[in-house]
Amino acid sequence: MLLHFYKMTGAGNDFVMVDNRDLSLTPHLDAETIEALCNRRFGIGADGLLAVEPSRGQGDYRMRYYNADGSEADMCGNGARCFAAFASALTDGDLGDISFETAAGLIRARFEDDGNITISLTTPKDLQINVLPADDTVLAPVHFINTGVPHAVVFLPSVEDLDIVEAGSYLRYHKAFSPAGTNANFAAILNPQHLQIRTYERGIEDETLACGTGMTATALLHAALTDAPSPIKLDVAGGDTLSIGFKRDGLNFTDVTLTGPALFVFEGDIELTGEIELEQH
Ligand SMILES: N[C@H](CCC[C@H](N)C(=O)O)C(=O)O
């Protein structure tokens, strides 16, 4: 079966996008196939796959997100921006601002005049300051919050020379976060409203160039720890700077938004059976 796909990037976090509005692709969206499609040497290559599916009652659509290892996750912040742009393009932009269901809850997307997209995230939960014992740190105390998916966050003087696979995988697989595991974010404070962040992602099992829910988690924990006001900017490994907005009452956050780019890179067709017949021209 030939699959028509689009490739998009949200600040360097990149995705295979598929139109599954008629649900015809569902039998093919198994973990093995998704892992093969996301493989950077034998497939299209991506951090994950996003499928546009019919709404199940809320919002205009349903968003399904799968990591590169084929595991399905409840939410993806950079992916949500790409999803909004893709879903809008599929309907010739007639819908204007759109909303879509995710396993984490309803997400709203606003298309900004400068081409960026603002995502209204679900209410964060399970915020924990110093979530690990004082003697169990990763160069500094570890904090936690769920911004649609689980995130551990560590603030360091610098993240430039960090061995993020060693530090990230330690937290990702730490017993404190089992059995689901967690993503791991490491941030340096450049000024009260500007951070530099690097993220090790669950399900990619490596550093990604940006992680939307991770930068959100990091911004909110920074605000909780330092009273920094909204918005907070974050420089990500891919070179972009994105913005997190929020309202805060103590450790309770509402009206959380993530603003950043979503770009189309290419489109193509791929044979799901793996053997591509080159047409004789
Ligand atoms: N790897 C994450 C999901 C994708 C998060 C990230 N790509 C984002 O932009 O939020 C997890 O399994 O929890």
Side-chain angles (χ1 to χ4, degrees):
M1 172 188 171
L2 206 58
L3 170 69
H4 190 69
F5 68 88
Y6 293 80
K7 186 75 193 304
M8 295 190 72
T9 184
N13 198 194
D14 62 336
F15 308 101
V16 175
M17 314 296 295
V18 296
D19 178 2
N20 194 28
R21 287 177 292 173
D22 63 4
L23 297 178
S24 60
L25 298 178
T26 301
H28 303 283
L29 295 179
D30 55 272
E32 184 182 358
T33 301
I34 289 168
E35 189 171 22
L37 292 172
C38 292
N39 187 296
R40 294 195 185 280
R41 295 288 187 277
F42 295 97
I44 301 162
D47 289 332
L49 180 141
L50 287 150
V52 181
E53 298 195 353
S55 162
R56 296 193 301 176
Q58 290 183 300
D60 302 300
Y61 296 105
R62 180 188 184 196
M63 173 181 116
R64 306 265 319 250
Y65 170 77
Y66 304 84
N67 286 309
D69 69 357
S71 62
E72 185 168 9
D74 289 352
M75 178 50 190
C76 176
N78 290 317
R81 294 196 315 277
C82 293
F83 180 93
F86 181 49
S88 180
L90 289 175
T91 53
D92 298 324
D94 293 347
L95 288 168
D97 292 352
I98 65 172
S99 60
F100 42 93
E101 304 157 25
T102 70
L106 191 68
I107 302 296
R108 298 186 188 286
R110 184 175 69 238
F111 300 95
E112 306 290 356
D113 294 339
D114 64 2
N116 280 324
I117 296 174
T118 295
I119 296 294
S120 296
L121 293 164
T122 51
T123 302
K125 56 186 183 181
D126 304 334
L127 187 152
Q128 298 174 65
I129 304 297
N130 299 330
V131 65
L132 299 185
D135 61 350
D136 187 359
T137 68
V138 183
L139 309 170
V142 180
H143 314 296
F144 180 88
I145 189 169
N146 185 306
T147 49
V149 289
H151 285 279
V153 177
V154 179
F155 293 98
L156 298 169
S158 168
V159 294
E160 296 284 351
D161 301 326
L162 176 71
D163 180 343
I164 193 163
V165 172
E166 179 185 17
S169 56
Y170 175 76
L171 292 177
R172 185 264 183 269
Y173 290 103
H174 196 289
K175 64 181 182 303
F177 308 113
S178 69
T182 184
N183 301 282
N185 304 271
F186 302 87
I189 301 170
L190 305 179
N191 73 42
Q193 288 184 269
H194 192 179
L195 310 178
Q196 180 183 3
I197 183 174
R198 295 178 65 188
T199 302
Y200 176 99
E201 276 201 48
R202 174 184 72 168
I204 291 92
E205 304 312 335
D206 200 349
E207 179 174 17
T208 54
L209 296 183
C211 177
T213 51
M215 65 183 86
T216 303
T218 302
L220 299 185
L221 279 161
H222 172 64
L225 288 164
T226 67
D227 282 337
S230 171
I232 291 174
K233 293 189 299 182
L234 297 101
D235 296 347
V236 298
D240 284 302
T241 296
L242 290 89
S243 180
I244 307 296
F246 56 86
K247 291 179 181 169
R248 183 170 76 91
D249 175 10
L251 296 183
N252 296 312
F253 290 90
T254 55
D255 301 281
V256 180
T257 59
L258 161 64
T259 299
L263 301 176
F264 284 91
V265 183
F266 62 89
E267 66 177 298
D269 297 296
I270 188 166
E271 182 55 61
L272 286 178
T273 61
E275 290 84 38
I276 292 181
E277 299 291 327
L278 294 182
E279 291 173 13
Q280 301 301 326
H281 291 290

